[in-house]
Amino acid sequence: VKSLEAIKLDMGKNEYESTSFVLTNLSDKPMKFKITSAPSIPGGISITLRKGVWVIALDGDKVNDALSLIDNGKIVIPSGESREIWITLKSNNAAPGEYKQMIKVTSKGLKTQAVNIAIKIHNVSLPKRMPLDTYYWGYLTPREPKKVPAEKKAEEIAAAKKAKQMIAAKMADLKSHYVTTPTIHPSIVPRFEFDEKGELITDYTYFDKGMDMFEAGLGADKYAFEMLSTVYFEPVNKPGYPGAKGRPKFLSPKWKAAFPIWLKGWVAHMKSRGMGYDKYYLSPYDERLDANVYEVAKLIKEADPNVRVVVNNMGSGSQEIANIAPYVDV
């Protein structure tokens, strides 16, 4: 085991910087630790302490992935296990210069140890609005109202209020971290749906609710709409997902005839909201680049060449990229 005593960081003004160290319990019993940041860093630099949490990945393995706040500075580590301690600093408007901070680690019966952090603030600053389109993949969606018995109404009101506060906190966090282009969850995107007679349905109610939520909370420069075509375009029937009832066969003549009507209607509705072509991107598929992705991207451009298309390559080779290149902007 190598003992860590110091971490050096270089930061600009108004920048976030994260670093970490690993704390291991080599005893044969669970151990309680207290981790504190003291004293306060001068110059307005803020610091947040988090711990890595082991979660089960899709392949069944554990990954030290989630980062939760360290409650009251206290953590418990089982015998023979490790925890990664994450330190996130925000330089705010600290003057250029050198600063020091100490992270103390204490446990009953052991000598207090410390990790010393040396911070150098340089005379550079990130702009208030990023010149790049910085994006994230998120799952922020408007909460759907629920019908509940009268005796449960107070609980439902409280739950709705809590959900609203949670979304506001997440939006504020994204904004403070310079996110300018959120990826909108596919459930918000207007559905490519048909009624029992096979007629196209157009409903922008949930879309408007979702965009009102984002525009009020984040005020982003641009939006990326994840269309999740595998579920919402191709005919699938999975529990919890909208099925293909009434929808023509994928890429059939009737499907292709309805697609531009649906897309143009949505584009027109976005325009009515003040969202021109420069305000959004369409992402028809995620992590795919095959014949279906090509066909849908091509249809989008044929329906309206001004709509910008983004794809992320998980294909089999350069030929797929060459094929789809004329229909992709990002």
Side-chain angles (χ1 to χ4, degrees):
V1 176
K2 184 178 179 181
S3 178
L4 174 69
E5 296 180 355
I7 296 174
K8 293 182 179 180
L9 298 174
D10 287 272
M11 301 179 70
K13 291 188 287 185
N14 295 315
E15 183 182 2
Y16 285 92
E17 185 72 44
S18 289
T19 185
S20 69
F21 63 91
V22 175
L23 187 59
T24 302
N25 176 8
L26 296 176
S27 75
D28 58 1
K29 296 179 180 179
M31 291 185 69
K32 295 180 180 179
F33 292 92
K34 187 170 185 179
I35 302 169
T36 55
S37 169
S40 298
I41 310 177
I45 300 174
S46 57
I47 187 166
T48 306
L49 298 176
R50 288 185 169 88
K51 60 185 176 183
V53 178
W54 292 96
V55 296
I56 304 297
L58 286 174
D59 60 5
D61 288 339
K62 282 186 176 181
V63 289
N64 195 28
D65 184 60
L67 299 179
S68 65
L69 291 168
I70 299 178
D71 296 327
N72 302 316
K74 297 177 182 179
I75 66 169
V76 177
I77 303 179
S79 172
E81 292 193 12
S82 299
R83 293 291 180 271
E84 193 165 12
I85 308 302
W86 278 85
I87 307 157
T88 300
L89 299 102
K90 175 77 185 296
S91 55
N92 298 308
N93 287 309
E98 297 185 357
Y99 300 85
K100 292 183 178 180
Q101 176 69 349
M102 183 183 293
I103 308 298
K104 290 185 177 180
V105 180
T106 58
S107 184
K108 190 176 181 180
L110 294 180
K111 180 184 176 182
T112 296
Q113 297 190 67
V115 176
N116 296 292
I117 302 178
I119 309 152
K120 185 174 182 179
I121 305 293
H122 296 265
N123 193 26
V124 294
S125 180
L126 290 174
K128 289 184 178 180
R129 299 298 295 181
M130 293 294 285
L132 304 173
D133 290 344
T134 56
Y135 81 103
Y136 81 103
W137 181 285
Y139 293 93
L140 288 174
T141 57
R143 190 174 187 273
E144 290 281 18
K146 295 180 181 178
K147 290 183 179 181
V148 296
E151 63 272 16
K152 297 272 188 178
K153 196 168 184 180
E155 292 180 21
E156 174 60 20
I157 292 172
K161 184 178 180 181
K162 186 177 180 181
K164 190 174 181 180
Q165 290 172 340
M166 181 71 75
I167 286 174
K170 289 179 179 179
M171 292 285 190
D173 187 57
L174 293 167
K175 193 170 185 178
S176 71
H177 284 75
Y178 309 107
V179 168
T180 65
T181 309
T183 299
I184 305 300
H185 190 272
S187 65
I188 296 175
V189 172
R191 296 280 185 271
F192 185 53
E193 289 184 327
F194 297 76
D195 61 22
E196 304 247 348
K197 296 179 181 179
E199 299 296 324
L200 187 65
I201 299 172
T202 304
D203 186 0
Y204 303 113
T205 305
Y206 195 65
F207 173 75
D208 285 334
K209 189 174 181 180
M211 294 315 300
D212 288 345
M213 180 187 76
F214 272 97
E215 289 180 346
L218 191 58
D221 292 342
K222 300 177 182 70
Y223 297 89
F225 293 108
E226 171 53 48
M227 302 165 81
L228 197 60
S229 302
T230 308
V231 172
Y232 297 119
F233 287 176
E234 298 179 14
V236 296
N237 287 289
K238 295 181 181 179
Y241 287 90
K245 194 173 184 180
R247 189 189 302 164
K249 185 179 178 181
F250 181 58
L251 297 180
S252 67
K254 188 173 181 180
W255 194 100
K256 286 186 175 182
F259 183 83
I261 298 171
W262 169 80
L263 181 65
K264 289 177 180 179
W266 180 25
V267 169
H269 183 75
M270 284 193 276
K271 188 176 180 181
S272 73
R273 291 186 57 93
M275 297 178 67
Y277 296 113
D278 61 330
K279 289 286 288 184
Y280 59 88
Y281 308 98
L282 298 191
S283 175
Y285 285 84
D286 179 46
E287 297 183 349
R288 280 178 58 180
L289 197 59
D290 52 31
N292 286 359
V293 185
Y294 169 84
E295 290 294 340
V296 173
K298 184 171 177 283
L299 278 170
I300 291 172
K301 285 296 187 180
E302 288 175 349
D304 190 336
N306 294 311
V307 172
R308 292 183 294 177
V309 174
V310 55
V311 296
N312 48 1
N313 176 29
M314 292 288 282
S316 59
S318 59
Q319 188 56 52
E320 285 185 343
I321 297 173
N323 291 342
I324 204 169
Y327 310 107
V328 172
D329 301 278
V330 181

